[in-house]
Amino acid sequence: MNNRYHRNRIYIDKSEQEIIKNYPIILGGCGIGSIIAECALRLGFEQITIVDGDQVELSNLNRQNYTENDIASNKVSVIKSRLQAINKDAVIRVHNCFVTENNIEELIQGHKIAINALDFTTDIPSKFDNTCQQLNIPVIHPFNLGWAGLALVITPKGMSLSSIVKTNENYNELSVVKYILRHLKFRNEPQKWLNDVLEKYISEQKQLSPPQLAVGSWLTASMCTNILFKLAIGQEIKEFPEFYFSSLHNT
């Protein structure tokens, strides 16, 4: 194990380090994906593709991997520079475009794991999952829940996220949060604070993006990176409808 990953020792052996170094992953979306990409790179994933057509905005800076100097720049260009400043030998491929029906398959092909961090403003996140399942690629869904992190894994032959949507309900982040809250309550792990956040967000009755915190970004990125590692080396993971949830905020 070279000096770069010397402190990974014991947690990750030499053969595992070599596996993840050459394991190609793709991130659809460069919001929370910008945090996941750095965490994965620092662990040792050196074959990373990132797709996003957005530019950095001031409102991104409370939780995403950007600075004031990056505002108005293409997100993928900024994060590529940052990742290569961390590891100049890593292969970082970026596509400054949005994922569409016309380019999904071409973008995803050749990768072994996908992270679906796309906005739920269209049905593209669902089509992204469907394409990955057809290509036999597992998909990790990250969610920033403010004081908590959430990750779901859609496997090639497993259930899709759309299966949780009730009749006459739109498929979006709210559907996922409601599903998680129901199951946490059933498991006798109720999250009153998260219920309160959900109710206040719904009561805003405006077309506003969900509130998110840096805490949720880093919690979720760490979980996603752990899942990436387990998938790459063949360890067992929780498959949807199970999920990964982490929070120390219990009030």
Side-chain angles (χ1 to χ4, degrees), residues 28 99-108 114 116 118-137 139 141 154 160-162 171:
V99 178
T100 68
E101 283 188 72
N102 295 326
N103 65 15
I104 287 180
E105 186 169 345
E106 181 181 357
L107 289 169
I108 294 173
N116 188 340
L118 301 167
D119 292 334
F120 279 78
T121 52
T122 68
D123 62 352
I124 291 298
S126 180
K127 292 181 177 179
F128 185 94
D129 286 0
N130 292 340
T131 302
C132 286
Q133 287 185 303
Q134 292 167 12
L135 296 173
N136 202 37
I137 298 171
V139 187
H141 271 268
I154 308 301
S160 67
L161 276 185
S162 59
Y171 167 50

Side-chain angles (χ1 to χ4, degrees), residues 24-159:
I25 64 175
I26 181 170
L27 294 98
C30 203
I32 194 170
S34 65
I35 306 292
I36 298 170
E38 179 169 335
C39 195
L41 177 70
R42 289 187 184 277
L43 191 74
F45 285 89
E46 297 187 10
Q47 301 281 331
I48 301 175
T49 299
I50 307 171
V51 186
D52 199 311
D54 267 336
Q55 288 74 47
V56 179
E57 300 177 0
L58 180 64
S59 62
N60 300 148
L61 304 190
N62 81 314
R63 68 200 184 281
Q64 297 179 14
N65 206 356
Y66 306 106
T67 69
E68 289 185 354
N69 291 335
D70 301 326
I71 292 174
S73 298
N74 295 328
K75 284 186 174 182
V76 291
S77 299
V78 173
I79 198 62
K80 179 177 182 178
S81 295
R82 177 166 177 80
L83 296 179
Q84 291 190 320
I86 295 168
N87 185 346
K88 61 181 176 56
D89 296 321
V91 179
I92 311 297
R93 300 180 178 89
V94 298
H95 298 275
N96 183 29
C97 65
F98 294 105
V99 178
T100 68
E101 283 188 72
N102 295 326
N103 65 15
I104 287 180
E105 186 169 345
E106 181 181 357
L107 289 169
I108 294 173
Q109 282 183 336
H111 299 91
K112 293 187 177 181
I113 308 174
I115 294 91
N116 188 340
L118 301 167
D119 292 334
F120 279 78
T121 52
T122 68
D123 62 352
I124 291 298
S126 180
K127 292 181 177 179
F128 185 94
D129 286 0
N130 292 340
T131 302
C132 286
Q133 287 185 303
Q134 292 167 12
L135 296 173
N136 202 37
I137 298 171
V139 187
I140 303 172
H141 271 268
F143 293 91
N144 179 333
L145 301 183
W147 296 117
L150 171 67
L152 311 170
V153 183
I154 308 301
T155 55
K157 296 183 180 179
M159 295 172 58

Side-chain angles (χ1 to χ4, degrees), residues 120 143 150 152 161 164 172-180:
F120 279 78
F143 293 91
L150 171 67
L152 311 170
L161 276 185
I164 67 175
N172 53 31
E173 294 101 325
L174 292 182
S175 306
V176 177
V177 176
K178 290 175 183 177
Y179 167 80
I180 297 303

